[in-house]
Each structure stands twice: as structure tokens, then as C-alpha cells.
Amino acid sequence: SRASRLAALPDVTGQQLDAAKSRVEALGLKVDRSEEESDEPENQVLSQQPNAGSVPQGSTVTLKVAIPRAAETTTVPTNLAGMTEEQAVEALNGAGLNPSGNRITQESDQWPAGTVIGSDPRGGTELEVGSEVRLIVSTGPGPSNGGGDNGGGNNGGNGNGGGNGGDLSLIHISEPTRRRGGAGAGCCW
């Protein structure tokens, strides 16, 4: 009877789906495709079910093919402001990001020299794991302040010199009060 006719199914793993499908269908078999994320080339056959051997004609062979892995994403930490550069580098590494050696420096009355005041892209941005992030590091107050912090420092935090009010406009500082410890807390400055 026809049901007892067998087809000699070859091993098609490692082949591209189109070629494997043609070989299987030429034997009078049906092909069902399934997908799995893999580092193998896209559409390469990773496995087949059933395996190579004698199978009833008209039966279905499932070919599992490779698809690219979905890009893994992570978020730029929002608490970098106030850290030392070394602490911020550790935080970026911990988030799966790549701290750029090409840092940005910026004058700031609010943050002492060597303190991280932000990042590019800014905190909260979602990036692919391994993406590069540049730290924005304070160089301390600018040269032309003329003693700006004398007598106004306790004015609700607004005594930071009106002339430099815009120096943080392009930087998102989400937690400006989160300073690390006392003067001795920084490692390397």
C-alpha cells in the first residue's frame, strides 16, 4: 500500500533553508519551519525533526532555522552626577555600557573639578548593550567669577552666579543632591 512507502531523509542541518526545503520536498515530504535565535547565519538549518533516515512519504519534517538574536538593550544610569569619574565608569560598566575615553569637560560652579556632572547620551536613555557613553566632567568654577560664591551661597541654592546659570542646560542631572561622602570619599583626585 502507499502508506508503507518510505523516503530516505537526508541530514540537511547546516544548509540554508531554501536548499534544505527543496531537497526534502523533492522526496515527497512536507516542510514545517520553526525559528530559534542564534549566532549562526540567518536561515541556516540548526536541527531537523525527524533526523536523517527512513520516514513515511507525505510526512512532515520540521526544520529549525536560525534568526538573528534580538539586540539586548540597557539604560544609561541616571545617578552619575556627583560621582567621581572612576565610580561613573564602574556604573556604566555595570549597566553593560562602554565608557568612552573621549570625555567632555565643562565648567561648573555647582560641582567640584573632577566630578561627573552628566553623560552623553543622558541618563535614562535606552541603548544597545555595549554602546559608548561619554561622561561630562566638571573642571570646577570658571575663571571670571570674581568671588561669586561669597555672600549668597545660602540663598536657596541660587547663589551660584547668574552668569553661569545656563551652563547645565544641556545636561540632565536627575539627582543633584546625591553626593558621595565627604571630601575624602573621592578616590583619585
Side-chain angles (χ1 to χ4, degrees):
S1 76
R2 189 160 180 204
S4 63
R5 294 176 76 187
L6 297 176
L9 176 65
D11 181 356
V12 293
T13 56
Q15 297 182 17
Q16 280 294 300
L17 176 64
D18 290 345
K21 187 175 178 189
S22 298
R23 285 184 70 187
V24 172
E25 287 177 341
L27 299 170
L29 301 169
K30 299 184 186 87
V31 171
D32 188 24
R33 173 186 175 192
S34 70
E35 299 176 340
E36 182 176 300
E37 288 186 5
S38 171
D39 295 325
E40 298 298 327
E42 190 170 0
N43 281 325
Q44 180 173 309
V45 177
L46 300 172
S47 65
Q48 66 185 61
Q49 193 63 41
N51 293 323
S54 295
V55 296
Q57 274 198 327
S59 59
T60 299
V61 178
T62 301
L63 300 179
K64 187 176 284 185
V65 298
I67 58 170
R69 292 187 190 280
E72 204 179 330
T73 60
T74 185
T75 304
V76 179
T78 56
N79 61 344
L80 298 176
M83 290 185 177
T84 65
E85 214 172 333
E86 186 177 305
Q87 289 166 333
V89 164
E90 279 179 30
L92 289 174
N93 285 333
L97 295 165
N98 181 15
S100 168
N102 190 8
R103 70 180 188 168
I104 303 164
T105 56
Q106 187 167 316
E107 290 176 5
S108 170
D109 289 340
Q110 185 180 356
W111 301 102
T115 304
V116 173
I117 56 179
S119 62
D120 175 30
R122 69 192 205 174
T125 305
E126 194 165 296
L127 299 172
E128 275 188 32
V129 168
S131 296
E132 197 165 89
V133 175
R134 293 170 71 186
L135 292 173
I136 303 167
V137 181
S138 171
T139 56
S144 59
N145 272 350
D149 274 349
N150 292 346
N154 290 332
N155 235 347
N158 287 334
N160 284 344
N164 285 338
D167 74 340
L168 297 177
S169 58
L170 67 142
I171 298 150
H172 171 71
I173 297 180
S174 60
E175 301 179 47
T177 55
R178 184 167 174 162
R179 285 201 154 148
R180 286 290 211 244
C187 136
C188 313
W189 303 98

